[in-house]
């Protein structure tokens, strides 16, 4: 397999692995191009928590969660809010993905050896209306082994095919041009980069040592999104919906998530839709021990931390921790600043704080129950959280509120937080704790969360007064905007075929994963329900690989 194959897959992330495995299973010869080194096989998925969106799963039923395809579709459509003519295929892909999530997805993955943590997480709880944004029930299934556990069966399949000569893995090969012959895809050309010994995720060099040109009847682009290229993020930023793009953001993805292949595929005739739809988190921390440039880590919060904008005003419902990501982003930026604050207690951080990412959850990543029990049942917060509390530049820990406010203002480099105003808001909330009911929407949400067994066991602290010294020390966390996912992208149909400006498929050209908005050119619409990024890579990669094989 020198320079000719049946198919070329551009990108060695999750979607590319799935597509390549499906092609090779069908007996096709595949060349996989990846601009990073071999230790980066798997791409962004490696760094993920491994959450997958299943509907009416055995894990849900064991947790007494009643879910259904109809409820999941209601939640998806209420969140997506499809409203554009070009949303035809994104909507079709979304409907098909719901069917997949409620049907074949889990047993297919289970048969390949994948397993899941028994407590189902309740992410992105929504904007307060049944027909609006958010998950009505917990659906976030953390894969046993986190992101590496999701990758494991597909890496195994690809490496087995590589050993048998059906897949050629070409690392440090950077695609720069898609080749067309008589209107159909016929290959990929680009540069060979110098070898690199950097660790996975670290910034590698771009020195060119040669070039290449490979030929095939099908090309599948699976190169990821734009989250590592903040200039592209700001160019596509939806100012009309979210407000002005932040000047400072932390990067939730490695530098090589650069969006290069979007423009390259456009140059070959592929259409891009929904560029302005994107997914960035509001709970970003500057990593005290970074792997890639400007490395940020997201807090996965429970519902109890009090959330304040940069001016010290408490965020109103539904802008509560874990409820409405993009609505909260818009609310934070409306204050004229790019950061916000959590104020909480040691009791809350111990029970409710988790950090996103495989490397921040070594117990779950290890697949060893003894490590999980040691970490989650320890006296303090999980070790990775305590490390951020001790070393992270965004944390302030004090024994009383006056000192906490002073520390917050020093950290922010201003005097925007007024002690008396902050005290009044927290004290008002604390008075609501005396009863098992409340007019405070967040207190009501806490009581509601604890009615779900999973939240009561591992994710929601018992309601208590923030200002009571017995619950201290007090903790303030400065939260940054963290770039993450591209919700729009290359326009595809359900089979993953890239469409041209006329809406017709370009013969031999496919796209899958984040570069295609996880399917269709943006199957999330405006909002994601979580667990749907990895799932979208698997679903779209499988569809593209199987159709290209035919």
């Amino acid at each position: 397999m020198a320079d000719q194959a049946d198919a070329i897959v551009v990108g060695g992330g999750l979607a590319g692995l799935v597509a390549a495995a499906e092609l090779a299973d069908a007996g096709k010869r595949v060349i996989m191009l990846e601009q990073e080194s071999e230790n980066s096989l798997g791409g962004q998925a490696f760094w993920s928590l491994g959450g997958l969106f299943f509907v009416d799963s055995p894990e849900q039923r064991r947790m007494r969660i009643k879910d259904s395809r109809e409820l999941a579709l209601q939640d998806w459509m209420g969140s997506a809010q499809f409203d554009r003519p070009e949303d035809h295929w994104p909507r079709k892909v979304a409907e098909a993905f719901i069917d997949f999530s409620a049907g074949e997805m889990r047993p297919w993955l289970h048969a390949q050896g994948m397993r899941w943590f028994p407590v189902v997480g309740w992410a992105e709880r929504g904007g307060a209306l049944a027909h609006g944004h958010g998950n009505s029930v917990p659906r976030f299934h953390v894969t046993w082994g986190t992101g590496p556990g999701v990758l494991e069966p597909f890496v195994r399949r690809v490496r087995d095919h590589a050993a048998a000569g059906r897949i050629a893995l070409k690392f440090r090969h950077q695609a720069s041009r898609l080749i067309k012959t008589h209107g159909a895809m016929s290959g990929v050309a680009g540069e060979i980069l110098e070898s690199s010994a950097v660790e996975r995720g670290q910034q590698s060099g771009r020195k060119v040592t040669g070039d290449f040109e490979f030929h095939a009847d099908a090309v599948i682009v699976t190169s990821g999104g734009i989250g590592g290229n903040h200039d592209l993020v700001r160019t596509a930023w939806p100012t009309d919906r979210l407000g002005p793009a932040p000047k400072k953001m932390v990067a939730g993805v490695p530098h090589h998530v650069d969006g290069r292949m979007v423009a390259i595929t456009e140059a070959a005739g592929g259409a891009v839709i929904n560029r302005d739809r994107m997914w960035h988190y509001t709970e970003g921390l500057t990593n005290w021990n970074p792997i890639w440039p400007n490395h940020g880590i997201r807090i996965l919060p429970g519902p109890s931390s009090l959330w304040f904008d940069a001016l010290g005003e408490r965020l109103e419902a539904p802008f509560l921790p874990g409820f409405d990501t993009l609505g909260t982003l818009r609310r934070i930026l409306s204050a004229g600043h790019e950061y916000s604050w959590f104020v909480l207690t040691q009791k809350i951080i111990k029970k409710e704080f988790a950090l996103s990412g495989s490397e921040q959850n070594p117990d779950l990543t290890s697949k060893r129950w003894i490590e999980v029990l040691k970490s989650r049942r320890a006296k303090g917060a999980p070790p990775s959280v305590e490390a951020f509390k001790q070393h992270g530049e965004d944390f302030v820990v004090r024994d009383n509120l006056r000192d906490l406010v002073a520390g917050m203002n020093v950290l922010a480099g201003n005097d925007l937080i007024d002690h008396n105003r902050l005290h009044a808001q927290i004290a008002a909330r604390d008075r609501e704790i005396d009863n098992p009911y409340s007019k405070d929407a967040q207190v009501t949400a806490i009581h509601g969360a604890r009615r779900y067994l999973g939240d009561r066991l591992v994710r929601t602290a018992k309601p208590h007064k923030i200002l009571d010294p017995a619950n201290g020390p007090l903790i303030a966390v400065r939260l940054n905007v963290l770039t993450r996912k591209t919700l729009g992208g290359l326009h595809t149909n359900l089979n993953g075929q890239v469409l041209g400006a006329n809406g017709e498929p370009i013969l031999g050209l496919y796209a899958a994963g984040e570069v295609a908005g996880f399917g269709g050119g943006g199957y999330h619409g405006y909002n994601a329900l979580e667990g749907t990024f990895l799932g979208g890579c698997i679903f779209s990669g499988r569809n593209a690989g199987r159709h290209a094989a035919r």
Side-chain angles (χ1 to χ4, degrees):
M1 196 190 300
D3 60 0
Q4 183 73 38
D6 296 309
I8 300 169
V9 176
V10 183
L14 177 58
L17 290 168
V18 175
E22 294 294 321
L23 282 159
D25 282 356
K28 303 301 179 182
R29 295 171 303 132
V30 182
I31 296 173
M32 175 175 277
L33 308 179
E34 170 54 53
Q35 68 179 358
E36 298 305 307
S37 300
E38 186 169 2
N39 64 5
S40 291
L41 190 64
Q44 287 175 251
F46 176 88
W47 303 105
S48 75
L49 190 59
L52 292 172
F53 180 98
F54 296 145
V55 177
D56 192 27
S57 69
E59 290 78 15
Q60 286 177 303
R61 293 193 291 271
R62 280 194 291 268
M63 298 301 296
R64 305 171 194 167
I65 300 164
K66 295 181 180 180
D67 200 6
S68 67
R69 178 197 178 277
E70 292 72 26
L71 183 61
L73 185 63
Q74 172 182 299
D75 288 348
W76 193 291
M77 294 304 168
S79 298
Q81 300 168 24
F82 293 122
D83 61 359
R84 297 172 177 173
E86 58 266 36
D87 282 334
H88 170 78
W89 281 115
R91 182 189 294 270
K92 291 292 185 185
V93 175
E95 292 170 347
F97 179 74
I98 292 295
D99 291 338
F100 186 54
S101 297
E104 186 183 0
M105 184 180 183
R106 187 189 178 282
W108 182 63
L109 295 175
H110 189 278
Q112 296 183 67
M114 212 177 288
R115 299 293 184 268
W116 298 275
F117 191 65
V119 178
V120 184
W122 195 353
E124 202 63 16
R125 304 185 189 205
L129 295 175
H131 63 276
H133 169 55
N135 283 298
S136 297
V137 298
R139 297 190 177 106
F140 191 80
H141 296 68
V142 175
T143 303
W144 196 230
T146 65
V150 174
L151 291 170
E152 187 175 321
F154 301 107
V155 170
R156 180 176 64 246
R157 290 169 63 190
V158 165
R159 289 203 180 279
D160 287 347
H161 284 304
R166 286 181 288 272
I167 295 178
L169 298 170
K170 301 290 186 178
F171 298 103
R172 300 298 282 166
H173 280 58
Q174 178 180 265
S176 292
R177 181 167 58 93
L178 301 183
I179 304 169
K180 294 174 77 174
T181 304
H182 305 303
M185 250 340 95
S186 60
V188 181
E191 300 78 41
I192 302 171
L193 305 178
E194 66 177 346
S195 61
S196 174
V198 302
E199 296 296 322
R200 179 193 285 268
Q202 292 181 345
Q203 186 166 7
S204 60
R206 289 293 180 265
K207 182 179 179 181
V208 174
T209 62
D211 53 29
F212 68 86
E213 186 171 305
F214 298 127
H215 298 276
D217 293 329
V219 174
I220 305 180
V221 179
T222 61
S223 54
I226 67 172
N229 186 333
H230 289 189
D231 289 337
L232 276 181
V233 170
R234 292 188 184 95
T235 298
W237 189 273
T239 304
D240 57 331
R241 294 200 314 275
L242 297 180
K247 294 181 176 63
K248 178 191 175 184
M249 298 181 283
V250 292
V253 295
H255 76 289
H256 59 256
V257 186
D258 54 16
R260 290 182 75 254
M261 284 305 299
V262 177
I264 291 167
T265 309
E266 270 193 289
V272 176
I273 61 174
N274 300 318
R275 293 181 196 269
D276 61 322
R277 293 179 181 171
M278 53 185 66
W279 192 255
H280 305 304
Y281 291 111
T282 51
E283 311 97 333
L285 302 174
T286 304
N287 195 344
W288 65 273
N289 188 23
I291 298 171
W292 53 80
N294 193 26
H295 189 175
I297 294 292
R298 185 201 173 198
I299 297 171
L300 301 172
S304 302
S305 296
L306 298 190
W307 208 335
F308 297 89
D309 64 23
L311 305 178
E313 294 299 313
R314 188 177 169 202
L315 302 193
E316 64 280 5
F319 311 129
L320 309 175
F323 276 69
D324 184 352
T325 293
L326 293 190
T328 305
L329 176 58
R330 180 177 63 251
R331 168 63 179 84
I332 290 167
L333 295 178
S334 73
H337 297 270
E338 301 168 347
Y339 65 93
S340 60
W341 296 97
F342 275 168
V343 174
L344 61 148
T345 65
Q346 179 65 26
K347 284 187 177 180
I348 292 173
I349 200 172
K350 175 183 176 182
K351 187 72 174 281
E352 297 193 6
F353 266 36
L355 299 174
S356 182
S358 57
E359 82 284 10
Q360 300 297 329
N361 295 273
D363 52 345
L364 294 170
T365 304
S366 74
K367 297 187 179 182
R368 297 179 61 196
W369 272 109
I370 187 64
E371 297 300 323
V372 174
L373 294 174
K374 281 168 58 179
S375 173
R376 310 291 158 158
R377 304 284 291 180
K379 183 177 181 181
S384 59
V385 175
E386 285 291 343
F388 265 87
K389 190 178 114 182
Q390 180 179 351
H391 302 295
E393 67 180 60
D394 296 307
F395 281 74
V396 180
V397 183
R398 299 290 188 271
D399 290 327
N400 62 76
L401 187 64
R402 190 169 296 279
D403 289 346
L404 188 78
V405 168
M408 294 165 71
N409 285 332
V410 168
L411 179 58
N414 54 46
D415 58 357
L416 294 177
I417 306 296
D418 177 77
H419 168 266
N420 293 341
R421 175 60 181 156
L422 198 71
H423 183 278
Q425 294 176 86
I426 299 173
R429 177 268 185 200
D430 280 358
R431 295 185 190 102
E432 300 286 316
I433 300 300
D434 289 333
N435 293 290
Y437 45 84
S438 173
K439 74 174 183 181
D440 188 288
Q442 185 172 7
V443 175
T444 299
I446 294 168
H447 288 304
R450 286 177 61 82
R451 292 178 63 188
Y452 166 48
L453 180 60
D455 273 359
R456 188 180 185 91
L457 287 174
V458 299
R459 288 294 286 149
T460 306
K462 184 178 179 180
H464 60 270
K465 296 186 176 184
I466 302 293
L467 296 178
D468 185 343
N471 300 317
L474 291 172
I475 303 165
V477 187
R478 181 179 59 183
L479 306 173
N480 307 278
V481 176
L482 179 141
T483 61
R484 186 59 66 87
K485 297 298 180 185
T486 312
L487 298 190
L490 295 171
H491 196 186
T492 69
N493 59 21
L494 185 55
N495 295 321
Q497 293 174 289
V498 175
L499 309 180
N502 62 358
E504 295 299 317
I506 298 173
L507 187 62
L509 181 58
Y510 296 80
E514 190 174 356
V515 74
F518 301 93
Y523 87 145
H524 291 101
Y526 288 98
N527 292 286
L529 290 176
E530 300 287 14
T532 56
F533 300 128
L534 297 178
C537 289
I538 292 169
F539 183 59
S540 61
R542 190 175 92 144
N543 288 347
R546 289 185 176 185
H547 191 270
R550 293 197 295 271

